[in-house]
Amino acid sequence: MKKGKVITIASLAAAAILALAVFIKFYFVFGEGVKAGELNFVVYKGYVFKTYEGKVIQAGFNSKTRNSSSAIQSYEFEFSITDPAIADSLMRCGGKLVELHYKEYLGSLPWRGQQKYIVDKIIAVR
C-alpha cells in the first residue's frame, strides 16, 4: 500500500471521528422535558451573537434539613430561546407561572445561546 493512500484513509477517518464528536457535542439532543416555575426574566443580549436568555425560578421543598420541618428551597432553570416568537411571548409573561418544553444539548453554540437548555415550546402560562 502506498504511503499517500494510508495518509488519505487516516485523514478521512480522523475527519469522520471529529465530525461525529462535534455532532454529538453540539447538535445531538441529549434530553427533552418540561420545567415549570415563575418566569423571572427573558432578555436579548450578546456582543457578537444576540441571543434570547431567560430564567425560571422553581420552588420546592427541601426535606434534608436538620430540623423536622421542611424548608422551601428555590431552583433556577436558566435557558436560551432560538425562536423570536417564543421569546416575544415570554417577554410579556414576567412573574407568571409558566410550563416550558426544552431540549438539552451537551454543549452550547454562540449563535444558539449561552445555555445548553433550549426552550422550544410554551406549554402553559398561568
Side-chain angles (χ1 to χ4, degrees):
M1 200 182 260
K2 293 185 178 182
K3 185 177 179 181
K5 192 172 185 180
V6 171
I7 291 173
T8 302
I9 291 172
S11 297
L12 289 174
I17 290 170
L18 180 64
L20 181 63
V22 167
F23 173 78
I24 290 171
K25 175 77 174 171
F26 298 110
Y27 294 99
F28 175 73
V29 177
F30 179 69
E32 289 187 60
V34 175
K35 295 269 189 176
E38 182 179 332
L39 183 64
N40 193 352
F41 66 82
V42 174
V43 295
Y44 185 60
K45 66 179 183 178
Y47 292 111
V48 176
F49 298 102
K50 297 280 190 190
T51 59
Y52 294 97
E53 308 294 328
K55 185 188 293 187
V56 166
I57 306 296
Q58 300 173 286
F61 291 98
N62 183 4
S63 61
K64 298 178 183 177
T65 57
R66 289 185 180 174
N67 56 14
S68 61
S69 65
S70 296
I72 294 178
Q73 182 175 358
S74 67
Y75 300 97
E76 295 178 349
F77 173 59
E78 295 184 350
F79 56 90
S80 298
I81 308 165
T82 55
D83 186 349
I86 293 173
D88 185 53
S89 295
L90 286 175
M91 282 183 175
R92 291 181 262 123
C93 295
K96 294 183 180 177
L97 292 175
V98 295
E99 289 180 41
L100 304 173
H101 182 270
Y102 68 91
K103 292 182 179 178
E104 179 183 359
Y105 296 90
L106 297 175
S108 63
L109 292 168
W111 53 87
R112 191 168 61 195
Q114 296 177 353
Q115 308 301 324
K116 63 181 186 175
Y117 300 103
I118 307 297
V119 168
D120 60 350
K121 279 187 235 170
I122 301 170
I123 305 294
V125 176
R126 288 174 266 192

